[in-house]
Amino acid sequence: MDTGLIDHFQRRITYLRISLTDRCDLRCFYCMPKSFSEYENPTDWLSPEELGRVVKAFSRLGIRRVRLTGGEPLLRRDIKDIVHRISSISTIDDVSLSTNGMRLAPLAKQLHQAGVARLNVSLDSLRADRFKAITGGGRLERVLQGLRSAQIAGYAPIKINMVVLRDINHDEVSDMVSFCLKNNFTLRFIEAMPMGSAGRSAVPHYVDLAEVEAELGKCYDLEPAFMDGGGPARYVKVSGTSLHIGFITPMSQHFCATCNRVRLGVDGTIYPCLGDQYSTPLGPLLRNGCSDSELSEALCRAVCMKPERHSFNELPTKVVRFMSQTGG
C-alpha cells in the first residue's frame, strides 16, 4: 500500500503543478525573452491520456491538489479534456488554473463546468500602456473581460497575482488594492526571482515585500489571516472588508521548510524544486509502456531528490531554464 510522497526532509508532497505548455501569447520581460523560440515540440507534450495517468499515479501517492499552469495553459486546444480527466479523479480534491487572462473570456464558463474551481490571473499593471510594455504587447482590456467572465462563471476565489517591480509598477500597489476591494478579488504580491536570463533581468527591480506590507500598513488596518489553497502565500486581511492580501516571498523569506509541491513540465519532466536544476524525465518511461508500479517508483525517486531549499540568493545564475519552461 502506498504511504505517500515524503522527501528526505520529512515534507509530505500533496500539491502538483502541471505546465500544459511552455508557450505563451505574452512576453513578460521577467519570464521569457522576446527572442525565445526553443519550445518543446508539441509531439513531446504529454497527451490528455498521459496526463491523466500521471495524475492518477500521483494521487495514489497522496497528491490532492493540482494546478494547471504554463506558459499559458489556455493555448492548449485540448484543455477542456485535460481538466475533465483530472477533475474526474476521485482523490483529487482541488483543480485550479493560472493564466494571463488574455484568452479567458470565451473559456471561463466551460472550464469551470469541466472542473476548475479556483483561478489565479497574472496582472502586473492597471494602466494599459504600462501593461503592454511589461507583457510585450498584451491588451489590458482583454484580461479585464476575462476577469468579468470568470466572476459570472462562479470561480471562487479569483486571485490576482502581481509581481512588484521597482521603478516599473511599484507605484501601483495601492491602486491594485483598491481594484481588488472593488471587485472582490484576492490579491497576491510576488517577489521577482532570478529564473533564467529573463528572471535575472528583473533583479535590479527587485522589491522586498516587507517594504510593500509596511507601506500598506500605513493606509489600511491589516490583520493576520488564512486562505486555503496549498500555496506558499502568507496572508493578511484588510479589517472590515473581505479582502485578503497574500505575500509570496521566495527571496526575502523563503518557505522551503514547508514546501509541499513538485512541478511537471509539458514534456513530462518532473522538477522537484523551482530553484534547482535537477529534473526527472517521465516522457520516455510512459512511452516505453511502463507499469503503474514502475511509474510510482519513478515519482518517489524524483521526490527524494528534492533539495532542502533553493539557492536563488547564493547562486542566482544556477537555474538556467525560464519560468515558462517549468510552470509557474
Side-chain angles (χ1 to χ4, degrees):
M1 181 176 177
D2 291 321
T3 57
L5 287 170
I6 301 175
D7 70 11
H8 285 311
F9 305 96
Q10 299 307 301
R11 294 171 296 198
R12 185 174 292 275
I13 309 304
T14 59
Y15 185 11
L16 174 65
R17 299 178 66 103
I18 303 174
S19 175
L20 297 186
T21 175
D22 55 349
R23 302 180 186 224
C24 189
D25 46 358
L26 296 181
R27 284 292 183 277
C28 298
F29 78 93
Y30 56 79
C31 182
M32 187 190 304
K34 288 183 178 180
S35 60
F36 182 75
S37 61
E38 298 174 21
Y39 301 110
E40 289 291 339
N41 191 313
T43 59
D44 294 327
W45 294 0
L46 293 193
S47 67
E49 294 81 6
E50 289 169 328
L51 283 168
R53 186 183 180 199
V54 172
V55 175
K56 280 184 180 179
F58 266 118
S59 72
R60 290 193 294 268
L61 293 166
I63 290 291
R64 295 293 175 262
R65 296 179 182 273
V66 174
R67 174 167 292 279
L68 304 176
T69 72
E72 173 46 52
L74 300 189
L75 290 173
R76 283 284 295 249
R77 295 180 180 179
D78 50 5
I79 188 169
K80 287 180 286 184
D81 184 12
I82 292 169
V83 171
H84 179 72
R85 288 174 184 272
I86 293 173
S87 64
S88 297
I89 299 171
S90 61
T91 48
I92 297 298
D93 300 327
D94 178 69
V95 180
S96 56
L97 176 80
S98 292
T99 175
N100 62 34
M102 290 283 288
R103 298 168 181 260
L104 181 59
L107 290 169
K109 182 177 180 180
Q110 300 169 59
L111 291 174
H112 189 58
Q113 291 174 337
V116 177
R118 300 184 300 109
L119 200 63
N120 287 6
V121 179
S122 297
L123 184 60
D124 292 332
S125 178
L126 294 168
R127 304 179 189 181
D129 57 341
R130 183 178 286 180
F131 179 84
K132 183 177 181 180
I134 293 172
T135 60
R139 294 170 54 191
L140 177 62
E141 182 53 36
R142 285 183 60 179
V143 179
L144 299 180
Q145 288 172 355
L147 286 168
R148 288 191 287 269
S149 296
Q151 286 180 309
I152 294 169
Y155 291 89
I158 298 173
K159 298 179 180 180
I160 302 299
N161 287 348
M162 179 184 184
V163 178
V164 182
L165 301 161
R166 195 177 308 281
D167 301 323
I168 293 180
N169 66 354
H170 187 185
D171 59 335
E172 288 191 67
V173 163
S174 293
D175 292 342
M176 199 66 77
V177 171
S178 298
F179 173 74
C180 290
L181 273 168
K182 179 181 177 181
N183 292 282
N184 197 31
F185 297 139
T186 295
L187 175 59
R188 282 127 56 92
F189 296 115
I190 303 174
E191 292 178 343
M193 291 174 279
M195 287 282 295
S197 59
R200 287 189 286 277
S201 72
V203 170
H205 304 285
Y206 166 78
V207 177
D208 184 325
L209 290 185
E211 181 180 338
V212 172
E213 186 172 7
E215 292 170 1
L216 293 177
K218 296 176 183 178
C219 305
Y220 303 96
D221 183 14
L222 304 178
E223 57 188 55
F226 170 80
M227 281 197 78
D228 189 29
R234 177 182 59 81
Y235 284 97
V236 298
K237 185 173 178 286
V238 177
S239 298
T241 77
S242 61
L243 177 62
H244 286 71
I245 300 175
F247 300 91
I248 300 178
T249 56
M251 303 301 292
S252 64
Q253 294 179 307
H254 73 79
F255 31 81
C256 301
T258 58
C259 184
N260 63 344
R261 67 200 69 87
V262 293
R263 290 168 167 82
L264 181 69
V266 64
D267 63 344
T269 300
I270 298 178
Y271 299 99
C273 175
L274 184 66
D276 190 82
Q277 277 296 102
Y278 178 81
S279 63
T280 298
L282 287 184
L285 192 66
L286 290 167
R287 287 160 189 174
N288 285 329
C290 68
S291 66
D292 287 348
S293 61
E294 288 172 329
L295 180 56
S296 293
E297 289 170 6
L299 301 184
C300 291
R301 286 196 300 271
V303 167
C304 283
M305 296 305 295
K306 189 174 176 68
E308 184 174 13
R309 54 159 296 180
H310 69 67
S311 52
F312 281 138
N313 300 90
E314 300 85 355
L315 299 169
T317 61
K318 180 177 181 179
V319 179
V320 297
R321 66 181 184 274
F322 301 119
M323 182 72 79
S324 60
Q325 296 172 293
T326 308

